[in-house]
Amino acid sequence: MENVNFPKEEKSQKELNGNTVISFELDRVSDISIEIYDLKGSKCATVSGKNMAAGERQITINTFDLRIAPGSYVYHLQVTNDTGSATECRTLNII
């Protein structure tokens, strides 16, 4: 499935107010789910159920609300639509 594109440069960023932004591009309308894991493999949070239109998109995750401590994590972005599903894994550093 080739309907999600991540920029070659990491665009996830930490902002001062506790929000982390994950940027990506969709080729078609898709359901999005993000799971965040610590480096030991334990799931820390899930953000799911977002239906997003095609185009450049961003999901903002409030790390304070999800009680995610500063550190390094791995997130899985699951994209599902009428052509199937795909998962992209990236690192996420929260300062």
Side-chain angles (χ1 to χ4, degrees):
M1 178 167 144
E2 296 181 20
N3 59 8
V4 61
N5 298 308
F6 281 85
K8 290 190 183 221
E9 295 179 25
E10 187 65 52
K11 282 204 168 182
S12 297
Q13 57 192 15
K14 176 69 177 163
E15 298 175 4
L16 294 176
N17 60 3
N19 290 329
T20 297
V21 178
I22 298 175
S23 300
F24 52 93
E25 184 174 348
L26 299 171
D27 290 344
R28 62 184 65 222
V29 174
S30 302
D31 291 324
I32 305 298
S33 174
I34 295 176
E35 294 180 339
I36 301 171
Y37 296 86
D38 65 19
L39 296 181
K40 294 178 183 177
S42 298
K43 189 187 300 184
C44 300
T46 300
V47 179
S48 62
K50 296 188 181 277
N51 185 275
M52 301 186 105
E56 291 185 20
R57 298 287 165 237
Q58 294 181 335
I59 292 182
T60 302
I61 298 171
N62 187 303
T63 57
F64 292 145
D65 288 348
L66 295 175
R67 297 190 173 117
I68 299 175
S72 295
Y73 297 87
V74 174
Y75 70 87
H76 297 198
L77 173 69
Q78 176 81 32
V79 178
T80 305
N81 59 40
D82 59 348
T83 65
S85 65
T87 301
E88 177 79 22
C89 299
R90 292 270 174 118
T91 58
L92 175 64
N93 294 307
I94 298 174
I95 301 169

